[in-house]
Amino acid sequence: MGIFQRRILWAAGLCFAPDSMEILLLSFLTVVLRQDWQLTQTQTSTITFSVFAGALLGSLTLGPLGDSVGRRPVFTLAATIISFFGLLMALANSYASLLLLMKFLVGFGVGHVIRMLTSISPRSQSISD
């Protein structure tokens, strides 16, 4: 693994860390959200699902965009999306704002980070050789 791959690994890790903490905390907070916001089990499950749906669409959208305009600007865009909407989640006061706006869009940014990490591995570590 070269210096470039190590730098990308650190940058991607900084994008994944807040998302991972968010998923972990959400598993504990669903009990509180269910009581405070009177949510059903289906609604609390849908909140977590929205992150993964966003990741799917982010991967399908931002991946090809990164191939056409360059990975660095699209990675910067993905990191900005993750940071901005991750911070806005602190202001969420309803199910719709938490689910539709914040969680989905954070997942959208994370989808590109996942796709980018799979495309920058050094050739010596590729399983296709």
Side-chain angles (χ1 to χ4, degrees), residues 13-112:
L14 291 173
C15 288
F16 277 129
D19 183 58
S20 299
M21 285 185 266
E22 175 187 332
I23 295 293
L24 177 67
L25 285 174
L26 191 57
S27 67
F28 297 112
L29 292 176
T30 52
V31 176
V32 175
L33 288 176
R34 194 175 307 142
Q35 290 175 349
D36 287 353
W37 291 355
Q38 286 79 39
L39 300 178
T40 65
Q41 177 66 38
T42 303
Q43 288 175 314
T44 55
S45 299
T46 305
I47 293 171
T48 304
F49 168 76
S50 68
V51 174
F52 298 109
L56 174 67
L57 288 177
S59 179
L60 294 174
T61 304
L62 295 176
L65 182 65
D67 292 339
S68 64
V69 301
R71 292 190 179 131
R72 182 174 288 184
V74 178
F75 178 78
T76 303
L77 174 66
T80 302
I81 289 170
I82 293 166
S83 300
F84 180 73
F85 289 104
L87 289 172
L88 278 182
M89 274 193 292
L91 303 175
N93 58 4
S94 71
Y95 173 75
S97 66
L98 178 67
L99 171 67
L100 297 177
L101 295 177
M102 309 333 165
K103 300 293 278 179
F104 181 82
L105 291 168
V106 168
F108 188 83
V110 168
H112 175 67

